[in-house]
Amino acid sequence: MFEMLEYDFMRIALVMAVLIGLTAPAVGTFIVQRRLSLLGDGIGHIALTGIGLGLLTGTSPVMGALVVSVLGAVAIEVLRERSRSGADVALALLFYGGLAGGVILTNAEGGGANLQSYLFGSISSVSVSDLYVVAALAVAVLAIVALFGRELFLLCQDEEVARASGLPTRFLSILIAATAAVTVVIAMRAIGLLLVSALMIVPVAAAQQLTRGFRATMLLAMAVGVLSAVSGLAGSFQYDLPPGPSIVLLALAVFMVAVIGGAVTRRRRTVTAAARAGVDAEAEVLRG
């Protein structure tokens, strides 16, 4: 663990891992609550078009991915709201369109090799300038979660109730989608576009096995995200493994442990409740 801190690029990667571990589950909690678990995956494919544009024009692929992802996220919400086909079809349309556009633009530029680092992550290619961009975006994402957390929670719980309460549901829906898009861009250099959605969903699913309240679920999911990201990064360095898959597999391992732990906890609660009910019933008999 401490050996990797001797290398500059690994210190940069470690900071990025912490930022990704915090932001991805924070946004993922709202996405899971709203039953849009594939949103991050869809946006990841849309981001390919932005990367292709950046490579083709000689500009920043990260900024290209950011702009195209946010626009795509807004388009998903507009289609979801106005289309009769529903959210799943809206996601599929932009999912395949973004993938096709990204591959064509990248091949036109001749940057197929560069595309691999964005699809699967490449820690060694992360620079200080990338870290500054990621840090700024992460702060923006966490600030949005902190400022609009209650409103977003109410929207995710029941959109009709949120609308009846006078909340700007359209704005909040677009805000969730745009924040998810920013989160995908934050994580794509370290984890890869094909795997980033897993870190948005799996820590939340693990936290749900052990917690009940929304805030507790989010905080535990963020802790699981940081643990998975940092441990996966350390493991990839130690055993010369790809960082993205290592991080995701560790998150899945935590999920499996959480499932077992949650089942044991619920069983104990059931046994305790039954024991208390038996004691109360016996006491009633004695009183009678």
Side-chain angles (χ1 to χ4, degrees), residues 61-272:
V62 174
M63 296 310 297
L66 178 62
V67 172
V68 173
S69 296
V70 171
L71 292 176
V74 173
I76 288 174
E77 275 304 313
V78 173
L79 287 173
R80 188 187 68 83
E81 182 178 335
R82 297 185 179 183
S83 175
R84 296 179 180 179
S85 301
D88 54 343
V89 175
L91 274 172
L93 291 173
L94 291 173
F95 185 105
Y96 298 118
L99 178 61
V103 172
I104 289 176
L105 290 172
T106 304
N107 287 336
E109 189 271 341
N114 291 330
L115 185 60
Q116 295 297 315
S117 65
Y118 294 97
L119 288 174
F120 303 104
S122 177
I123 290 292
S124 60
S125 67
V126 175
S127 64
V128 176
S129 59
D130 291 329
L131 178 60
Y132 289 150
V133 173
V134 167
L137 294 176
V139 169
V141 168
L142 294 176
I144 289 173
V145 171
L147 291 173
F148 296 95
R150 291 186 178 181
E151 291 83 356
L152 294 175
F153 167 72
L154 183 58
L155 174 72
C156 294
Q157 283 290 100
D158 195 320
E159 187 170 347
E160 294 300 324
V161 172
R163 185 178 292 109
S165 301
L167 292 179
T169 55
R170 179 178 297 178
F171 166 76
L172 293 173
S173 297
I174 292 175
L175 185 63
I176 290 178
T179 305
V182 174
T183 305
V184 168
V185 175
I186 289 173
M188 69 179 184
R189 293 304 302 271
I191 299 179
L193 291 173
L194 297 183
L195 294 172
V196 61
S197 183
L199 201 60
M200 299 173 70
I201 305 304
V202 177
V204 180
Q208 286 179 332
Q209 306 301 315
L210 303 172
T211 59
R212 294 182 178 180
F214 183 85
R215 179 176 297 181
T217 297
M218 177 182 290
L219 292 176
L220 183 56
M222 293 169 72
V224 171
V226 172
L227 175 65
S228 302
V230 173
S231 301
L233 180 63
S236 69
F237 175 81
Q238 186 70 29
Y239 301 104
D240 193 24
L241 299 171
S246 301
I247 292 170
V248 172
L249 287 176
L250 274 173
L252 288 170
V254 173
F255 170 75
M256 295 304 299
V257 172
V259 169
I260 296 172
V264 172
T265 301
R266 287 189 293 271
R267 182 175 179 81
R268 286 181 177 177
R269 288 174 180 169
T270 301
V271 171
T272 302

Side-chain angles (χ1 to χ4, degrees), residues 1-7 10-11 14 234 237-238:
M1 173 68 178
F2 296 103
E3 292 180 2
M4 71 179 188
L5 299 179
E6 298 176 3
Y7 301 91
M10 288 304 297
R11 288 196 292 268
L14 182 61
F237 175 81
Q238 186 70 29

Side-chain angles (χ1 to χ4, degrees), residues 23-50:
T23 53
V27 176
T29 306
F30 295 105
I31 294 176
V32 171
Q33 191 70 26
R34 211 174 185 202
R35 296 177 178 86
L36 290 174
S37 298
L38 292 179
L39 179 63
D41 201 19
I43 292 175
H45 284 72
I46 295 170
L48 287 175
T49 298

